[in-house]
């Protein structure tokens, strides 16, 4: 877990708190092992407070992992109350049963809060269910232990003579303390896998799909279109005179323009559509269940949205040339669609830029690219 926190400090939130929490639990176990070597009045308050710190940090780590603000008030209130409980029923009015009950309920509050967070925000997956169960089981064990202690049934006079349920309780708590980090690491590993997979499918600058991600989306959409008999369309989009923007304003501004354009395009599309950056200033859009009339309307909306004034620091104005290719038959491959949309794009460039052109049915030789690349 410590290695994962050092390697992926930003990809998986909450790892730092879990590492600290696990260290506190180990330290608390070491302190409990000193029982008999140090006076109880010193050892037990410190050991129990450190144990509550460990559970509290794990709760905070779980909250951060799922995007919640850590409950530091509950965290500090719990370990401070634990310290007060130990001082009252250990030094002032010695009562082992009350110490057990109060400590159990304080631990239960932390674990219950953690369980609620997992159930509320966790995805429906086996790893999440496992994590929730591993958090719930010690919660129930602590509830049972606290209730039994209040009834003075099954609780002895000390930790070493804790009654018939003491061994079972300690076994469950110790076992769950070891397994809880395993449960967290299962959901963290799955999250990290999804993050790495997303990074491999996304353009690092604009956060839209890259070519690999676009190919995967097209394969799924094409299979769905074949089953339903619905058409798809592809748009090739290129920024006009983008080289001039880089030359006049610098590449940093050019990057901001690309990010802005990607956001404008994404804002016009539906959730079932997809946009990708194929490199440089070229974007490609996949429109599901779309015929030519709607594809042209979407292209016009993109151009109109780019002309709208936007808040924030001013960026150089830019225009887009767009080429559209509608699927001629359900068997038409992506390469054919891209070839025809690119040819329509280059025609839009030749006819003056800042316009939309639609590809015809015939596939002409691909000869326009070298000429157009000289002008941007």
């Amino acid at each position: 877990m410590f290695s994962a926190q050092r390697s992926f400090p930003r990809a998986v939130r909450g790892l730092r708190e879990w590492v600290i929490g696990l260290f506190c639990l180990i330290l608390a176990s070491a302190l409990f092992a000193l029982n008999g070597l140090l006076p109880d009045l010193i050892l037990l308050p410190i050991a129990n407070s450190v144990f509550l710190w460990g559970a509290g940090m794990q709760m905070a780590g779980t909250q951060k992992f799922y995007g919640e603000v850590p409950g530091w008030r509950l965290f500090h209130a719990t370990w401070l109350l634990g310290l007060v409980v130990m001082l009252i029923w250990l030094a002032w009015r010695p009562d082992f049963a009350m110490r057990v009950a109060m400590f159990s309920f304080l631990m239960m509050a932390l674990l219950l809060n953690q369980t609620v967070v997992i159930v509320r925000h966790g995805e429906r997956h086996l790893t999440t269910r496992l994590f929730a169960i591993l958090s719930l089981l010690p919660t129930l064990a602590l509830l049972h232990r606290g209730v039994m202690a209040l009834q003075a049934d099954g609780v002895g006079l000390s930790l070493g003579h804790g009654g018939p349920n003491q061994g079972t309780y300690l076994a469950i708590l110790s076992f769950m303390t070891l397994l809880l980090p395993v449960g967290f690491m299962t959901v963290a590993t799955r999250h990290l896998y999804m993050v790495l997979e997303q990074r491999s499918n996304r353009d690092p600058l604009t956060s839209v799909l890259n070519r690999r991600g676009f190919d995967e989306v097209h394969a799924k959409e094409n299979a769905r279109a074949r089953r339903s008999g619905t058409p798809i369309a592809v748009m090739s989009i290129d920024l006009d005179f983008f080289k001039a923007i880089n030359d006049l304003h610098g590449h940093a501004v050019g990057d901001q323009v690309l990010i802005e354009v990607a956001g404008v395009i994404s804002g016009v599309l539906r959730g079932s559509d997809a946009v990708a950056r194929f490199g440089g200033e070229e974007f490609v859009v996949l429109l599901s269940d779309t015929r030519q009339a709607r594809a042209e309307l979407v292209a016009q909306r993109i151009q109109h949205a780019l002309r709208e004034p936007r808040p924030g620091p001013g960026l150089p104005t830019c225009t887009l040339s767009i080429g559209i290719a509608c699927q001629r038959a359900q068997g038409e491959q992506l390469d054919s669609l891209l070839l025809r949309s690119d040819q329509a794009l280059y025609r839009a460039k030749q006819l003056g830029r800042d316009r939309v052109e639609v590809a015809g049915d015939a596939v002409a030789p691909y000869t326009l690219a070298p000429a157009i690349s000289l002008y941007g």
Side-chain angles (χ1 to χ4, degrees):
M1 185 176 289
F2 177 75
S3 175
Q5 194 274 330
R6 291 291 301 272
S7 301
F8 308 100
R10 297 183 180 180
V12 182
R13 294 171 296 184
L15 265 176
R16 175 177 172 272
E17 286 73 16
W18 266 88
V19 170
I20 296 174
L22 190 56
F23 174 77
C24 289
L25 293 177
I26 295 173
L27 177 60
S29 300
L31 290 172
F32 282 124
L34 298 177
N35 186 35
L37 300 178
L38 293 176
D40 287 349
L41 190 59
I42 297 175
L43 177 64
L44 294 181
I46 296 176
N48 281 280
S49 296
V50 173
F51 201 90
L52 288 170
W53 259 73
M57 290 302 291
Q58 290 181 347
M59 176 200 70
T62 302
Q63 290 172 321
K64 287 186 68 174
F65 178 78
Y66 286 112
E68 281 196 0
V69 178
W72 296 120
R73 289 184 179 179
L74 176 61
F75 168 76
H76 290 299
T78 301
W79 78 264
L80 286 173
L81 280 174
L83 185 60
V84 172
V85 164
M86 293 302 299
L87 293 176
I88 291 177
W89 283 294
L90 179 65
W92 184 40
R93 297 177 58 186
D95 190 328
F96 177 70
M98 286 301 298
R99 296 205 315 265
V100 167
M102 294 300 103
F103 181 81
S104 297
F105 291 142
L106 290 173
M107 277 287 297
M108 187 191 73
L110 295 172
L111 286 168
L112 181 61
N113 186 283
Q114 177 174 281
T115 305
V116 171
V117 171
I118 298 170
V119 173
R120 182 187 301 168
H121 299 289
E123 60 178 335
R124 295 183 178 180
H125 190 264
L126 178 61
T127 56
T128 303
R129 296 190 184 99
L130 173 64
F131 189 28
I133 291 173
L134 292 177
S135 183
L136 179 62
L137 286 178
T139 305
L140 297 177
L142 287 163
L143 174 62
H144 177 267
R145 180 62 173 169
V147 172
M148 295 290 289
L150 288 178
Q151 296 175 351
D153 182 12
V155 177
L157 300 176
S158 67
L159 190 62
H161 302 84
N165 296 316
Q166 178 74 4
T168 302
Y169 161 73
L170 291 177
I172 292 176
L173 186 59
S174 301
F175 190 58
M176 290 299 106
T177 300
L178 292 174
L179 283 184
L180 259 178
V182 176
F184 176 75
M185 283 306 299
T186 58
V187 295
T189 301
R190 173 173 168 78
H191 173 76
L192 183 59
Y193 171 79
M194 295 173 65
V195 168
L196 295 177
E197 184 179 30
Q198 184 182 50
R199 288 180 180 177
S200 69
N201 291 335
R202 294 279 172 178
D203 173 57
L205 176 64
T206 61
S207 297
V208 300
L209 295 171
N210 58 19
R211 178 60 192 262
R212 175 184 174 183
F214 187 84
D215 288 346
E216 292 181 1
V217 170
H218 173 266
K220 294 177 182 178
E221 179 56 34
N222 195 40
R224 189 200 63 78
R226 286 187 178 184
R227 292 193 300 269
S228 60
T230 54
I232 60 177
V234 166
M235 293 194 304
S236 291
I237 304 174
D238 195 81
L239 274 74
D240 298 325
F241 301 112
F242 183 68
K243 184 177 182 300
I245 293 177
N246 278 332
D247 292 342
L248 290 174
H249 303 278
H251 288 277
V253 173
D255 288 347
Q256 291 301 313
V257 170
L258 290 173
I259 295 172
E260 179 76 12
V261 170
V264 168
I265 296 173
S266 301
V268 173
L269 303 180
R270 302 169 299 181
S272 57
D273 302 327
V275 57
R277 182 186 175 209
F278 272 29
E281 66 272 25
E282 182 181 359
F283 295 88
V284 177
V285 172
L286 177 68
L287 300 172
S288 63
D289 192 10
T290 299
R291 301 186 186 277
Q292 179 176 325
R294 181 183 178 274
E296 291 185 72
L297 179 61
V298 172
Q300 292 166 6
R301 286 177 177 174
I302 291 173
Q303 289 185 321
H304 177 73
L306 192 62
R307 297 188 188 105
E308 289 289 317
R310 284 173 294 279
L315 291 173
T317 58
C318 60
T319 58
L320 300 175
S321 296
I322 302 177
I324 298 173
C326 299
Q327 198 173 39
R328 295 175 298 182
Q330 290 184 359
E332 185 176 10
Q333 299 299 313
L334 177 60
D335 287 343
S336 175
L337 273 170
L338 290 174
L339 174 62
R340 294 195 297 115
S341 66
D342 278 348
Q343 290 177 337
L345 167 65
Y346 295 136
R347 187 163 65 249
K349 293 277 192 180
Q350 284 188 326
L351 294 176
R353 297 178 175 80
D354 192 20
R355 59 185 292 129
V356 178
E357 289 291 326
V358 180
D361 290 337
V363 180
Y366 195 68
T367 59
L368 296 173
I372 296 304
S373 63
L374 297 176
Y375 301 98

